Each structure stands twice: as C-alpha cells, then as structure tokens.
Amino acid sequence: MQLIRWGFLVSRRVVLSLTAGVVVLGGAGALALAHAGGRPPALAHSTARYAAPEGDRDGSLTFTADVMASSGVKSLKVLAWPAKSTFARKGLTAEDMAAAEAAVCRPAGGDVVRCTYRVPVAPADAEGSPRGLWHVAVLATAKDGDTTLNTKAADFTVM
C-alpha cells in the first residue's frame, strides 16, 4: 500500500512538474513570437526614376518602395542626395532625415505598404543641381517606433 501511495505521489509530482514546464515554455514561446513580431521595418523593390526637365516643362523624381512592418508602417521619409556631397564623407544619419519629406503610403496586402514619393524638378532647380550619381535615402518608421535607415535605397543619374 505504501508503495502505491508513493507511486501516486510521484506521478502527481511528475504531472505537476510537466504542467509547470509546459506553462513556462509556452510563455517563453509567446515572448519569442512577440519579440519576432517587433522587427524593424524592411524595404523591398526600391526604385528611383529621374526625368530631366525639358524646355519650360518640369521634370520629376519618383521613388517607390514596398515597406513591411509587423506593427504597421507609420511613415517613410525620403531624401535624394548627390554621391559627391558631405553626406558621402560624413555619412547620413536618422537625424539628417528629420526634415526630409514623407512619401505617400498605401496598403499593398498583409503587413506591406507601397510608398511613393514624387517631386517636380523645375528647370532652374535642375540647372543648379550637381551632375552625376545621386542616392535616395529613406527612413522607415513602424507604428511601434522601430526604424530602418537605408542611405542608398536606390540610385539615379542627373545628366
């Protein structure tokens, strides 16, 4: 009788230990999933298209990118900069992007938004712009506050 009682107690302890272990592991798994969901925004399919002004007609710069963030995308700031500039020497920072203009973002399915930035380029602006390679920098901000800075998300050439 004593062994049976002891066996029952051991079995009950094992069951309680296993249950506690499952609860602990389940909580750790939920924490890991929550952390994985909080990844910084990711960019894909970034393109820049520059059309020079012709005569009296304005040209344009258009930048497009798909942005994914598990918490949703709050904003995408865009800044075009010449490859031969102070940013090339000192590096572009998130603080430099504070005054940059925002792209317009629209849902593209799931956690993805398609962001487009379009700015006209007047003939006078084009005349005063450095010739050669330019980069497009973007600062993507998720709704949870995570950010991603890509200083060379796309390139274009000014002739």
Side-chain angles (χ1 to χ4, degrees):
M1 245 359 203
Q2 197 71 349
L3 288 176
I4 294 174
R5 282 189 189 159
W6 177 251
F8 173 75
L9 290 175
V10 169
S11 296
R12 190 169 155 197
R13 285 181 186 158
V14 168
V15 168
L16 288 175
S17 295
L18 285 174
T19 302
V22 168
V23 169
V24 168
L25 289 175
L31 180 62
L33 284 175
H35 181 70
R39 288 180 285 197
L43 276 75
H45 311 292
S46 300
T47 60
R49 190 175 68 241
Y50 174 76
E54 290 185 32
D56 291 343
R57 290 192 333 201
D58 284 352
S60 64
L61 170 63
T62 303
F63 172 80
T64 305
D66 291 341
V67 185
M68 183 176 79
S70 57
S71 68
V73 176
K74 179 179 178 182
S75 68
L76 181 75
K77 292 195 170 193
V78 180
L79 176 68
W81 58 281
K84 295 179 182 176
S85 70
T86 57
F87 289 138
R89 289 187 291 280
K90 71 173 188 125
L92 190 63
T93 66
E95 289 78 30
D96 295 322
M97 297 295 292
E101 295 178 331
V104 175
C105 300
R106 291 185 168 66
D111 295 335
V112 179
V113 295
R114 161 104 357 139
C115 298
T116 303
Y117 172 79
R118 188 172 196 282
V119 61
V121 179
D125 293 333
E127 296 263 337
S129 295
R131 303 291 182 243
L133 180 65
W134 283 61
H135 303 295
V136 177
V138 295
L139 178 65
T141 303
K143 288 183 179 177
D144 66 5
D146 285 340
T147 61
T148 296
L149 173 65
N150 185 336
T151 61
K152 296 179 183 175
D155 298 325
F156 63 95
T157 303
V158 175
M159 303 255 188

